[in-house]
Amino acid sequence: MSQEAALAPEPAGRTLERFLQALRAVDVRVSPAEAIDAHRAAAEVGYADRGLLKDALCVTLAKTAEETGRFDACFDTFFTRAEFAGTPPAGTPSPAGDPDASLADMLLAGDQAGLAQAMERAAARAGAESIQLNTQRALMSRRILDGMGLRQLEATIGALRADGGERDEALAERLGLARAALFEEAGRFVDRQARLYASETGRRLREQILSAEKLTAIEPHDIRAMETLVRKMARRLATRYARKRHKAKKGKLDVRRTLRRNIGHDGVPFELVWKTKTLHKPKIVVICDVSRSVAAAARFLLLFLHCLNEVVERLDAFAFSDRLVRVNDLLDEETVDDAIPLILARVGLRPTDYGHALEDFMAAHGDRLDRRTTVIILGDGRSNYADPRLDLMRRVSEGSRAVVWLNPEPETYWNQGDSKMADYSRFCHVAKTCNTLKQLERIIEDVLRAYLPR
Amino acid sequence: MTQGPLASVETIIEGLAGVGYIASRRIATALYMAAHLQKPVLVEGMAGVGKTELALCAAALLGLPLIRLQCYEGLDESKALYEWKYGKQLLYTQILKDHMGQALIGAPDLATAMERLHGAGDLFFSEPFLEPRPLLQALREPGGAVLLIDEIDKSDEAFEAFLLETLSAFQVSIPELGVIKAETPPVVFLTSNNVRDLGDALKRRCLHLHIPLPDQALEERIVAARAPGVEARLRADLVAFVQTLRTLDLRKPPSISETVDWARALILLHAQALDAALVRETLNLLLKFEQDVAAVEPRIAEFLAHPPATALAR
């Protein structure tokens, strides 16, 4: 009921600005140009029909299906004003928006519209839009109540109680009850603000922390969030690199072939032949250690492998702990959730034997290597004191374009205990520590840029 | 454009219904905003949900010609915008060879001859030798047009960047002729199946419309409009069945076009009611993957017996 009345005191454009801010907080990207579009759209359809306004803003602002969903939710939350659920108006409500009416008067009169407006004003003064984290909620509701004149109300109640008259006592009682209701109302109001402005910020903060977290130290309850992150990264890489390959035609005339083709026309070049450039498709061989020592990281390495499989057309994926198997079929046919346990069940979680795995690889798949192949090895290089077969590693290195080794352990641990990493790294073009998502993304991107033939 | 079929969202809904397209309010609003803000609409959604159809029906509603540009990998300017008619140019130079010689006969010195040749050269790069492709056609259409750029996600990033000028200013620059600007900006629809993420610059210039799968009531109205002749009860049943299928975890859930195809097939078969045998025989109209058919087939009777709500709850 208070919808239109409460909107009135604020210019509509300002409300729209606050709404855009709320949208940005829920991760719908609104650039200044889009903000201008939104204002134009709103001017076009007007503010009278809420459904129409919603649709019009939605088509101008939300740019993906997910954003559409978030937009709808945000719009509904933003433009819903909780009706004050206090006592029904006893007597005539004071004219809505009377800024001079004291809090006590409004509570006693049951002036819902006035209270709602006072809360809006107090919230704007207290900067409710700037709420970023859920922990700020208690403070924010306190500030809003203060802004509405809580101190004065308490003083009034105190004075009434002190007087001790029966009528005053009853009045103080009523005001006390109303105050409790007001507290709840403010709590709900701030909750809604927090939903509007803080929920996504919290999530983003979490993602930031997660992407810098060690892969081996991820808590089980964070795994889901982590997987979403990995997928996001892979998709980003996918869009950036999947298209680089189709630049065959350069628009240059092939004079020699044109002349030859047109001899029949007396040398008049009716049919033109253009120079084309054959582009080599990138070829990647990934060998992934899934043994016990890297079990925690292996899950993410496999996940990344799965996503990479969608990016790169010719990806040969192998997994090993003591024996090595090709896992392309699993990556192709199964979803991530199914593929990873299957791979782990097939070869995973047994003691590592790099020498053996390299033997398997060279024996069965050595012919996959050529001058266009980039080999990526994911593993810790701990071979349980078995023969590391450095001779085979040399052959892998010589037979391919580049060998990139990503190791979840920090460099200081390399070559301590049963690690043969320092030995292996001599045959690698790049050997790097990679134990957070951020590092993983950066390295994979470097690999795609530098080691994939164009 | 403030009068006529685009005057308000309601008239758009009515008008589209008149040409056989049942539009939700959001779809109609998108078209309304597109016409009034003069921005292209990027339409996304599953295959078969009516993206291309929207453009066709909008053209029919506005009485404008529909110009369609189908995107594919390797599509470039010469296929999308314009090309010089090389064959014609060559033919003309060959035919006019003797003529040119004569024209040059009277020239007192080399400079004058060159001068005359320059004039002739410009003639060969003029309108009659220009082969307009869809984008240019749409810009030059005097009364405006509906331009459909289909499956933009299949084109290369370079082409997407090239589209930006056309879509934001409704003009193109042809080096030999100068800038060509549309008198009446066309209504532009771009469709995408999300094969890849589109660039932010392109998205920013477009209104975005995501067409979801419809609910039971809306889909029944669509079937009624697209396949008239299906009895009301059968229509409710068949839409309910399709809605049930969509709650399953299928590789390709049936979309609107499949529902309409199925309804039309049922008319052809003179079906009065759905029964398990009939559904089994016609299931390949709804499901396009062997695995999906195998998953659904044993449960047909059960789906027919239960309304979708109970099937969902299982």
Side-chain angles (χ1 to χ4, degrees):
Chain A
M1 61 161 191
S2 56
Q3 194 74 33
E4 257 64 25
L7 268 175
E10 196 178 47
R14 169 87 184 100
T15 313
L16 192 56
E17 278 306 319
R18 280 200 298 125
F19 176 56
L20 296 182
Q21 201 176 340
L23 275 181
R24 289 191 185 116
V26 294
D27 226 6
V28 175
R29 297 227 314 248
V30 184
S31 68
E34 277 156 329
I36 295 173
D37 286 345
H39 280 281
R40 279 177 64 202
E44 191 68 51
V45 297
Y47 289 86
D49 181 344
R50 200 208 295 202
L52 183 59
L53 179 67
K54 181 178 175 181
D55 287 343
L57 288 179
C58 182
V59 294
T60 27
L61 294 173
K63 301 286 175 181
T64 61
E66 298 93 71
E67 280 188 359
T68 309
R70 283 204 293 272
F71 174 93
D72 285 345
C74 182
F75 187 95
D76 291 338
T77 322
F78 188 87
F79 286 105
T80 309
R81 216 161 281 246
E83 319 248 313
F84 265 67
T87 45
T92 49
S94 72
D98 178 4
D100 297 329
S102 82
L103 187 57
D105 290 344
M106 284 194 285
L107 284 176
L108 285 178
D111 177 7
Q112 315 291 332
L115 282 171
Q117 254 187 60
M119 193 170 280
E120 288 276 330
R121 276 200 302 272
R125 271 202 303 277
E129 298 103 290
S130 66
I131 190 165
Q132 293 277 307
L133 295 170
N134 282 333
T135 43
Q136 297 169 323
R137 277 189 300 193
L139 180 67
M140 187 57 67
S141 64
R142 185 75 208 177
R143 270 197 206 146
I144 291 176
L145 287 170
D146 280 348
M148 290 173 74
L150 183 69
R151 295 249 163 90
Q152 206 190 335
L153 176 70
E154 309 233 309
T156 316
I157 295 177
L160 285 170
R161 288 240 163 89
D163 278 2
E166 209 165 282
R167 237 186 115 247
D168 291 347
E169 191 68 50
L171 201 59
E173 193 63 25
R174 263 180 75 193
L175 274 178
L177 282 176
R179 184 183 55 178
L182 185 69
F183 267 64
E184 267 179 40
E185 206 56 58
R188 268 202 293 277
F189 180 84
V190 172
D191 274 354
R192 210 166 57 242
Q193 298 295 318
R195 264 214 308 287
L196 272 176
Y197 299 108
S199 60
E200 284 297 312
T201 331
R203 189 181 59 74
R204 252 179 292 164
L205 196 66
R206 185 132 203 84
E207 284 194 352
Q208 245 172 43
I209 295 168
L210 270 181
S211 68
E213 188 95 12
K214 281 199 175 148
L215 289 176
T216 38
I218 302 280
E219 305 278 335
H221 59 262
D222 281 335
I223 284 184
R224 278 278 140 203
M226 196 71 178
E227 287 180 357
T228 338
L229 262 184
V230 172
R231 234 168 266 160
K232 240 193 222 169
M233 283 179 183
R235 201 167 160 81
R236 205 157 55 216
L237 290 179
T239 17
R240 206 168 322 152
Y241 287 96
R243 292 276 147 180
K244 290 261 152 126
R245 281 177 267 119
H246 312 290
K247 237 194 278 166
K249 216 162 125 183
K250 288 304 253 183
K252 279 196 186 133
L253 189 68
D254 190 335
V255 180
R256 215 156 45 94
R257 286 175 57 213
T258 304
L259 283 179
R260 198 181 307 151
R261 173 107 27 117
N262 287 293
I263 286 174
H265 305 306
D266 227 5
V268 178
F270 272 103
E271 271 178 73
L272 300 184
V273 185
W274 302 96
K275 275 186 180 156
T276 52
K277 201 165 135 195
T278 329
L279 289 190
H280 298 306
K281 288 192 172 173
K283 207 165 134 187
I284 297 187
V285 169
V286 185
I287 302 175
C288 183
D289 180 359
V290 290
S291 65
R292 211 174 294 134
S293 50
V294 287
R299 200 181 150 75
F300 292 104
L301 298 182
L302 283 176
L303 183 62
F304 210 91
L305 206 58
H306 191 277
C307 300
L308 207 63
N309 192 33
E310 289 164 15
V311 184
V312 184
E313 248 167 67
R314 294 199 296 171
L315 178 88
D316 284 314
F318 302 91
F320 72 95
S321 43
D322 53 348
R323 309 302 307 216
L324 174 136
V325 293
R326 189 153 183 266
V327 293
N328 268 49
D329 48 335
L330 286 177
L331 293 180
D332 283 342
E333 282 161 25
E334 306 291 334
T335 59
V336 189
D337 297 320
D338 296 339
I340 291 173
L342 277 174
I343 292 172
L344 288 179
R346 214 189 264 186
V347 285
L349 308 183
R350 283 197 286 269
T352 340
D353 187 339
Y354 275 77
H356 221 134
L358 281 173
E359 242 168 61
D360 283 355
F361 176 74
M362 285 314 279
H365 311 288
D367 55 337
R368 283 175 201 278
L369 298 180
D370 57 33
R371 300 304 306 166
R372 293 201 291 277
T373 313
T374 303
V375 179
I376 302 177
I377 301 176
L378 309 163
D380 60 357
R382 293 192 177 274
S383 199
N384 289 311
Y385 301 106
D387 181 6
R389 296 300 301 266
L390 291 172
D391 56 322
L392 290 178
M393 189 64 197
R394 179 195 299 275
R395 276 174 57 199
V396 170
S397 173
E398 282 169 358
S400 57
R401 182 186 169 93
V403 177
V404 179
W405 192 305
L406 308 179
N407 192 331
E409 289 185 352
E411 216 158 314
T412 40
Y413 288 13
W414 294 5
N415 241 23
Q416 287 188 12
D418 60 345
S419 170
K420 287 282 170 208
M421 195 52 213
D423 290 337
Y424 281 131
S425 68
R426 281 190 287 131
F427 301 105
C428 301
H429 296 74
V430 182
K432 274 202 171 136
T433 300
C434 161
N435 59 8
T436 71
L437 262 194
K438 244 189 211 148
Q439 286 173 335
L440 190 61
E441 188 193 19
R442 202 177 318 136
I443 292 171
I444 296 280
E445 202 186 335
D446 284 349
V447 169
L448 286 177
R449 196 169 43 226
Y451 292 101
L452 291 186
R454 288 284 161 79
Chain B
M1 286 231 203
T2 44
Q3 254 94 58
L6 292 177
S8 75
V9 174
E10 279 72 26
T11 53
I12 292 178
I13 292 180
E14 267 170 45
L16 283 178
V19 291
Y21 192 93
I22 309 296
S24 67
R25 278 194 72 85
R26 187 156 277 175
I27 294 176
T29 311
L31 182 54
Y32 177 83
M33 300 306 296
H36 288 257
L37 297 183
Q38 296 193 341
K39 274 171 155 271
V41 189
L42 171 64
V43 193
E44 284 188 321
M46 263 178 59
V49 90
K51 301 185 292 290
T52 308
E53 200 61 29
L54 173 61
L56 299 178
C57 290
L61 169 68
L62 299 172
L64 295 175
L66 178 88
I67 295 167
R68 184 170 176 166
L69 173 65
Q70 178 71 43
C71 294
Y72 50 87
E73 230 168 72
L75 177 69
D76 58 4
E77 288 173 55
S78 65
K79 306 255 175 43
L81 187 56
Y82 72 94
E83 211 170 12
W84 292 108
K85 293 177 182 165
Y86 172 74
K88 191 173 168 188
Q89 286 171 334
L90 196 65
L91 204 61
Y92 275 47
T93 48
Q94 292 299 308
I95 294 170
L96 296 177
K97 209 151 68 181
D98 306 335
H99 209 74
M100 300 250 277
Q102 280 168 16
L104 294 182
I105 281 174
D109 53 16
L110 198 60
T112 330
M114 282 291 257
E115 200 63 35
R116 288 184 193 171
L117 265 182
H118 278 315
D122 282 351
L123 277 182
F124 283 108
F125 286 95
S126 59
E127 286 284 318
F129 294 98
L130 192 68
E131 175 82 72
R133 300 286 185 189
L135 286 182
L136 190 60
Q137 274 173 27
L139 292 182
R140 293 207 301 185
E141 202 67 52
V146 173
L147 173 64
L148 168 62
I149 302 176
D150 221 355
E151 307 192 324
I152 175 75
D153 51 334
K154 297 244 172 72
S155 70
D156 306 328
E157 261 166 6
F159 181 73
E160 196 184 303
F162 156 77
L163 269 184
L164 294 180
E165 186 195 3
T166 317
L167 293 185
S168 53
F170 294 111
Q171 65 176 39
V172 291
S173 352
I174 297 178
E176 294 88 347
L177 294 181
V179 177
I180 294 187
K181 197 169 167 51
E183 275 173 47
T184 318
V187 179
V188 185
F189 290 94
L190 298 101
T191 73
S192 157
N193 282 327
N194 240 333
V195 168
R196 71 182 169 92
D197 283 344
L198 298 172
D200 284 342
L202 182 74
K203 280 191 185 166
R204 212 206 68 51
R205 281 168 178 78
C206 297
L207 301 171
H208 180 269
L209 172 66
H210 177 256
I211 304 186
L213 288 170
D215 59 10
Q216 169 97 21
L218 184 61
E219 189 159 23
E220 275 184 43
R221 286 178 54 213
I222 294 171
V223 172
R226 287 275 147 170
V230 182
E231 223 185 300
R233 199 173 48 82
L234 176 60
R235 189 165 66 225
D237 283 351
L238 80 88
V239 171
F241 184 77
V242 174
Q243 296 265 348
T244 314
L245 288 189
R246 287 193 193 130
T247 62
L248 304 176
D249 186 23
L250 294 178
R251 192 160 159 195
K252 165 81 176 73
S255 61
I256 303 175
S257 70
E258 272 94 23
T259 317
V260 173
D261 285 348
W262 195 38
R264 285 183 181 148
L266 293 181
I267 298 175
L268 282 179
L269 294 172
H270 303 293
Q272 299 301 317
L274 284 186
D275 60 61
L278 180 67
V279 174
R280 193 167 296 122
E281 281 160 19
T282 49
L283 201 58
N284 53 354
L285 283 164
L286 284 176
L287 301 173
K288 303 294 163 75
F289 285 98
E290 198 53 44
Q291 300 101 302
D292 289 353
V293 175
V296 170
E297 217 163 17
R299 298 174 63 185
I300 290 175
E302 170 193 346
F303 292 150
L304 285 174
H306 296 285
T310 43
L312 186 63
R314 290 168 48 87

